[in-house]
Amino acid sequence: MSAAYNQDFFVSWEELHRDTRQLCAMLMDDASYPFEGIIAVTRGGLIPAAIVARELDIRLIDTVCIASYEGTEAQERSESLRVIKRAAGDGTGMLLVDDLVDTGATAHKLREMLPGATFATVYAKPEGRPLVDHCVRTVTQDTWIRFPWDMELHFSTPLVERRGQ
Ligand SMILES: O=P(O)(O)OC[C@H]1O[C@H](OP(=O)(O)OP(=O)(O)O)[C@H](O)[C@@H]1O
């Protein structure tokens, strides 16, 4: 974890599912609803996008594929992004879905490429929040969100044993 992150926020599959459904309810009140299709931002947006597609009965799903270079500490986040695949058009009528907006660097690039799209993320941090139209939950900038696909179950030592009491 980078020194800029001081706390973890663990998200279970159930929480992610519930939060994404809540996002869907918000999206149904958006001026652009119903959406013609979804553009999922790989990779983190793929699972929320599948849930949104199910809830909003959307079958047209495109992707925009973005990867981060392993940068030096001095390298700006925006300079470390590499667009592998774009989505068709300018995004008009489409719903962009990602799991998270953090610094906003990815969102900034997406807005440039797809100015017509409505942009939704499940979670947001303050620096990136102004760049998305909808999100369910905001966490502090120093929080690292631990998504369920990055986790695995482990035995948890009882508190008494951990503290040696
Ligand atoms: O607001 P930013 O600081 O740009 O960060 C947000 C982006 O970071 C995560 O993707 P990541 O780069 O970890 O790639 P992945 O989803 O393929 O793992 C997340 O899915 C967003 O796309």
Side-chain angles (χ1 to χ4, degrees), residues 41-45 66 68 77 81 98-107:
V41 184
T42 72
R43 296 166 298 184
I66 299 186
S68 303
R77 168 87 172 141
L81 297 175
D98 207 347
D99 55 349
L100 163 74
V101 60
D102 186 336
T103 65
T106 306

Side-chain angles (χ1 to χ4, degrees), residues 5 41-46 65-69 77-78 80-81 97-110 119 121 123 125 127-129 131 141 144 147 149-150:
Y5 296 100
V41 184
T42 72
R43 296 166 298 184
L46 289 168
C65 306
I66 299 186
S68 303
Y69 291 110
R77 168 87 172 141
S78 58
S80 75
L81 297 175
V97 177
D98 207 347
D99 55 349
L100 163 74
V101 60
D102 186 336
T103 65
T106 306
H108 184 73
K109 190 150 263 190
L110 291 166
F119 192 2
T121 61
Y123 304 106
K125 297 186 192 178
E127 281 181 24
R129 178 63 187 89
L131 288 160
Q141 200 67 39
W144 187 262
F147 286 102
W149 49 84
D150 290 328

Side-chain angles (χ1 to χ4, degrees), residues 11-162:
V11 180
S12 70
W13 286 109
E14 287 78 9
E15 284 172 312
L16 180 84
H17 198 176
R18 182 200 60 210
D19 289 343
T20 308
R21 278 183 161 154
Q22 192 180 330
L23 180 68
C24 292
M26 294 164 68
L27 290 170
M28 292 182 76
D29 292 328
D30 187 277
S32 298
Y33 178 84
F35 303 100
E36 289 171 26
I38 289 172
I39 302 170
V41 184
T42 72
R43 296 166 298 184
L46 289 168
I47 287 172
I51 296 167
V52 174
R54 190 265 181 185
E55 294 299 328
L56 302 187
D57 194 24
I58 295 170
R59 284 181 168 74
L60 176 64
I61 303 179
D62 197 355
T63 55
V64 57
C65 306
I66 299 186
S68 303
Y69 291 110
E70 288 297 322
T72 63
E73 280 187 28
Q75 190 175 27
E76 291 291 329
R77 168 87 172 141
S78 58
E79 293 171 14
S80 75
L81 297 175
R82 179 167 54 105
V83 178
I84 299 166
K85 176 200 162 291
R86 292 169 179 266
D90 75 348
T92 300
M94 301 293 280
L95 175 67
L96 254 177
V97 177
D98 207 347
D99 55 349
L100 163 74
V101 60
D102 186 336
T103 65
T106 306
H108 184 73
K109 190 150 263 190
L110 291 166
R111 287 291 198 194
E112 277 179 358
M113 287 191 286
L114 300 160
T118 300
F119 192 2
T121 61
V122 187
Y123 304 106
K125 297 186 192 178
E127 281 181 24
R129 178 63 187 89
L131 288 160
V132 300
D133 298 304
H134 301 277
C135 83
V136 172
R137 207 189 286 203
T138 305
V139 300
T140 57
Q141 200 67 39
D142 68 345
T143 299
W144 187 262
I145 301 180
R146 300 287 185 187
F147 286 102
W149 49 84
D150 290 328
M151 299 296 112
E152 58 185 41
L153 289 175
H154 282 286
F155 175 76
S156 172
T157 306
L159 270 181
V160 168
E161 287 179 36
R162 262 188 268 172

